[in-house]
Amino acid sequence: MSKYQVDNRGYYGPFGGAYIPEMLYPNVEELQNQYLQIMKDPSFIAEFEQLLKDYVGRPSPLYHAQRLSKKYGAKIFLKREDLNHTGAHKINNTIGQILLAERLGKKRIIAETGAGQHGVATATVCALKGLECVVYMGEIDIQRQAPNVARMKMMGAKVVAAKSGSKTLKDATNEALRDWINNPVDTHYIIGSVVGPHPYPDMVARFQSIISKETRKQLLEKTGKGTPDIVMACVGGGSNAAGMFYHFLDDEDVKIIAVEAAGHGVESGETAATTALGKEGVLHGSRQILMQTEDGQVIEPYSISAGLDYPGIGPQHAWLFKSGRGQYVSATDDEAMQAGLRLTQLEGIIPAIESSHALAHLEKMNFKGDETVVICLSGRGDKDLDNYMKYFNL
Ligand SMILES: *Cc1c(COP(=O)(O)O)cnc(C)c1O
């Protein structure tokens, strides 16, 4: 068993576990007891793979970005999760979880969402399967993210405003948990990243691991070697990164680089650079690394990209960071926006601002010239056009 994967108690080193209120035990234990068995079932695997192929459009291409490679002096490949149906990697996980929910006999799906990307991915698979869908979203986020709210409603989901606290993601998460406690028998809660109580971080990482599984095969075809020198991805909660790293974790000669959002700068007070500033603690049901005050209050994160605006980092990432297996760095808003424009003009690909953070780190690398680098392009930039337009006065 890999020392970087979850152990049979639900931990990655000192991180992970299931720190939940007693009233959630039945729901979480049901998942813990069944998820591996269901995911190993041949009929589950067959349906998952078929939907990834025919509905999501997988395998996503591994694209050798020649002009980008020339600029930085390395052989750079982009794993094109931006070409998936709904425009990002999130659909890999929601497809997996909806199939699991069906096999657990659930009739109703709930989710929380911040910017709305996970809400849209969840509403999409509920429409696909004809299951009832309720998405909790902070009242302020509902106002800020009108197009995603419209998408969810058009697919038949009910969007419920969370009106307590700061009226954003953490309040929506609280509402979703309350709903799950009240509806333990018929409802499955789809969490959108590698966070939450065990088994969510492992389950979501397994669904996203298709990213590195395909990459190994594609790289072998293209270069004659299945492992790159470096893999890179951006990290909010950490699901696209977990998928990009998964099948390379035990190849210790593959360097792993995760890029967090520094916002206005690591020391600016407006940041989401969790590993640079965070300390160990419990958030959303697992032991991880999070930004907190002296007395343990969670600090509000900030990033120009809504998907990286998270005060913690999933338990597997906390362990990769602490064990030294992964290098955790950060990029500011400005660095990311410039990197997004650069990719657009060098390759004709407009990346999500989240993904632009991973691209931004290329500026700080010193390549010898023959390295093979794979970067996870987690999503497309259509959703971010307003932000790009404002930033560059387009
Ligand atoms: C949500 C999102 C992210 C951040 O989530 P992770 O769980 O860290 O992957 C990154 N990129 C895109 C395009 C997203 O939509």
Side-chain angles (χ1 to χ4, degrees):
M1 243 256 325
S2 166
K3 63 186 178 209
Y4 303 113
Q5 296 296 356
V6 78
D7 66 22
N8 52 21
R9 293 159 40 253
Y11 281 83
Y12 302 86
F15 302 106
Y19 297 78
I20 50 171
E22 214 172 309
M23 287 188 300
L24 272 181
Y25 284 179
N27 313 38
V28 171
E29 275 174 5
E30 180 184 34
L31 268 183
Q32 287 175 353
N33 292 336
Q34 303 217 40
Y35 82 110
L36 287 178
Q37 218 178 327
I38 291 174
M39 287 175 69
K40 269 189 216 139
D41 186 81
S43 83
F44 178 93
I45 295 171
E47 191 177 359
F48 184 54
E49 287 182 349
Q50 192 228 322
L51 282 173
L52 288 182
K53 179 166 179 274
D54 297 337
Y55 188 73
V56 177
R58 303 201 73 95
S60 67
L62 184 72
Y63 167 63
H64 179 202
Q66 305 228 10
R67 301 224 305 141
L68 195 71
S69 296
K70 185 151 178 270
K71 173 168 173 61
Y72 290 108
K75 195 162 191 182
I76 302 174
F77 291 88
L78 303 176
K79 183 59 174 160
R80 300 289 309 273
E81 296 300 300
D82 61 316
L83 294 177
N84 293 343
H85 178 46
T86 66
H89 66 290
K90 286 196 172 71
I91 192 87
N92 304 326
N93 169 49
T94 55
I95 294 256
Q97 284 201 49
I98 201 93
L99 296 181
L100 192 104
E102 271 189 329
R103 282 157 177 81
L104 289 170
K106 308 292 177 181
K107 303 276 180 269
R108 185 172 170 270
I109 300 295
I110 58 171
E112 86 297 331
T113 197
Q117 295 302 110
H118 174 56
V120 170
T122 302
T124 301
V125 296
C126 289
L128 173 72
K129 286 293 185 177
L131 293 184
E132 184 185 345
C133 180
V134 179
V135 178
Y136 290 93
M137 191 167 184
E139 194 172 38
I140 291 183
D141 290 333
I142 287 181
Q143 288 158 12
R144 288 194 291 208
Q145 309 290 342
N148 276 340
V149 175
R151 284 184 186 103
M152 287 184 258
K153 286 186 174 164
M154 195 165 167
M155 295 203 234
K158 186 169 157 204
V159 181
V160 178
K163 298 181 180 184
S164 61
S166 58
K167 303 182 174 62
T168 57
L169 178 62
K170 81 172 158 42
D171 312 291
T173 305
N174 289 336
E175 295 291 330
L177 285 171
R178 206 164 298 147
D179 180 316
W180 207 25
I181 288 170
N182 290 328
N183 300 286
V185 178
D186 70 338
T187 298
H188 175 67
Y189 179 15
I190 299 191
I191 294 182
S193 190
V194 283
V195 298
H198 175 65
Y200 280 100
D202 182 49
M203 180 169 75
V204 176
R206 284 171 188 262
F207 289 138
Q208 293 293 359
S209 71
I210 186 72
I211 298 173
S212 46
K213 187 178 171 193
E214 287 173 4
T215 298
R216 277 193 92 107
K217 185 162 173 269
Q218 291 166 322
L219 207 57
L220 183 64
E221 283 164 14
K222 285 177 198 296
T223 68
K225 187 166 178 256
T227 52
D229 297 301
I230 301 167
V231 282
M232 291 168 67
C234 66
V235 182
S239 69
N240 87 89
M244 183 77 257
F245 302 163
Y246 198 95
H247 290 286
F248 299 117
L249 288 174
D250 294 325
D251 296 290
E252 303 266 354
D253 54 338
V254 177
K255 189 169 175 184
I256 284 171
I257 302 179
V259 187
E260 297 188 286
H264 291 144
V266 173
E267 304 297 338
S268 68
E270 291 178 299
T271 185
T274 307
T275 52
L277 297 171
K279 292 194 289 282
E280 295 179 22
V282 171
L283 181 66
H284 297 150
S286 69
R287 193 168 177 78
Q288 47 170 281
I289 293 175
L290 55 135
M291 302 196 302
Q292 51 189 313
T293 60
E294 290 288 312
D295 47 351
Q297 295 290 327
V298 175
I299 295 172
E300 281 288 321
Y302 162 81
S303 165
I304 193 170
S305 100
L308 302 185
D309 196 352
Y310 184 70
I313 190 167
Q316 186 177 36
H317 289 290
W319 180 228
L320 295 178
F321 168 70
K322 185 163 178 171
S323 65
R325 175 67 185 91
Q327 185 189 350
Y328 284 70
V329 297
S330 64
T332 64
D333 287 1
D334 291 331
E335 289 166 343
M337 295 306 276
Q338 295 297 342
L341 184 65
R342 217 177 290 124
L343 184 74
T344 306
Q345 301 194 342
L346 283 173
E347 298 286 349
I349 299 170
I350 304 178
I353 299 177
E354 288 86 356
S355 323
S356 298
H357 284 74
L359 296 162
H361 193 66
L362 288 170
E363 290 280 312
K364 300 172 195 170
M365 307 276 303
N366 275 317
F367 293 115
K368 293 194 305 284
D370 54 356
E371 293 98 329
T372 302
V373 183
V374 177
I375 301 176
C376 186
L377 203 68
S378 56
R380 68 177 83 127
D382 304 33
K383 70 182 177 64
D384 296 318
L385 268 193
D386 267 0
N387 256 331
Y388 280 125
M389 281 165 67
K390 276 191 206 119
Y391 189 88
F392 291 111
N393 271 320
L394 300 172

